[in-house]
Amino acid sequence: MYSGENIESLNKLLEVLPQCEGEDYYKLAKHLSIPVEDLKPYAFWSDETYTRNCVVRTDKYELLLLCWQEGQETPIHCHNGEECWVYLAKGQLREKRYVEKQGDLKLTADVKMTQDRLSYMNDELGYHSLHNLNKGTSLSLHLYVGPIDECSVYKEEKDKFVFKDLDYYSKNKKIVSN
Ligand SMILES: [Fe+2]
């Protein structure tokens, strides 16, 4: 049970997350104010793509730090039945949302996330993509309840969704793939 206090450090977040259930995650996400300094030990960048860095993973949730270089973006994707909160810690992201209508993807939102902006997504809300708009790097914390190992991503050239395995770029502050 989370009492609703402000979460002003990564350590505090890691302490509170195991106590959360159900609605607690919604409340917790609204009280985040995490200094960029706390996230730096988990930050690794790649020239190829944005990176997914595992901060902590349990059976119930997964906390990832996504590191974005200028111009990097996700494909349009689903969340495999899970819930996802995005907390922008540094920089600027653009989020585009879509729903499927008669076999076509229809854009429903196109929003700039600026500092401390929070986003929430699940499959009922449709699909989304994220794009780093910052002239430089951006950092975002992603909380998945529960963890996600694969999702559907939209392949523009094939005009259809395909399943994709989701890998970590680093875990326990060490690079695991490249
Ligand atoms: Fe997502």
Side-chain angles (χ1 to χ4, degrees):
M1 175 79 186
Y2 161 61
S3 63
E5 72 263 44
N6 286 334
I7 310 290
E8 292 174 342
S9 71
L10 181 60
N11 280 345
K12 183 73 184 172
L13 177 59
L14 295 175
E15 183 191 311
V16 169
L17 269 176
Q19 305 162 19
C20 289
E21 285 181 41
E23 297 293 311
D24 288 343
Y25 296 106
Y26 294 87
K27 196 156 78 170
L28 172 91
K30 289 181 184 154
H31 289 82
L32 293 177
S33 176
I34 312 272
V36 175
E37 284 302 315
D38 290 11
L39 304 175
K40 284 194 173 158
Y42 299 91
F44 297 91
W45 278 273
S46 162
D47 288 341
E48 308 291 316
T49 178
Y50 69 96
T51 62
R52 305 173 78 251
N53 303 280
C54 181
V55 178
V56 65
R57 181 189 174 117
T58 71
D59 291 344
K60 282 163 65 180
Y61 58 84
E62 180 181 32
L63 183 68
L64 303 186
L65 179 68
L66 268 63
C67 298
W68 311 80
Q69 290 193 3
E70 190 171 340
Q72 291 180 336
E73 63 187 346
T74 69
I76 299 168
H77 59 274
C78 80
H79 295 82
N80 216 11
E82 310 296 354
E83 301 190 275
C84 170
W85 287 264
V86 179
Y87 167 79
L88 183 66
K90 177 192 172 234
Q92 193 179 43
L93 294 177
R94 177 183 191 181
E95 182 189 28
K96 287 187 184 177
R97 294 190 171 204
Y98 302 84
V99 291
E100 210 167 355
K101 271 207 173 151
Q102 289 146 359
D104 286 328
L105 283 177
K106 185 171 172 285
L107 184 71
T108 55
D110 186 348
V111 179
K112 272 185 197 168
M113 294 175 71
T114 51
Q115 193 82 26
D116 294 342
R117 175 75 196 258
L118 190 70
S119 167
Y120 169 79
M121 198 61 188
N122 66 29
D123 287 341
E124 282 174 23
L125 298 172
Y127 303 91
H128 77 168
S129 65
L130 295 170
H131 180 111
N132 181 22
L133 274 187
N134 204 26
K135 296 246 175 283
T137 57
S138 289
L139 286 173
S140 52
L141 263 182
H142 296 234
L143 175 64
Y144 298 97
V145 180
I148 302 182
D149 291 318
E150 59 175 22
C151 70
S152 292
V153 303
Y154 182 68
K155 292 275 182 199
E156 216 158 321
E157 65 277 14
K158 292 183 184 163
D159 191 24
K160 65 173 188 182
F161 282 92
V162 297
F163 264 105
K164 181 181 184 230
D165 288 325
L166 296 168
D167 299 323
Y168 295 143
Y169 190 75
S170 76
K171 197 176 178 186
N172 301 325
K173 304 174 196 167
K174 289 192 181 74
I175 291 178
V176 292
S177 69
N178 48 42

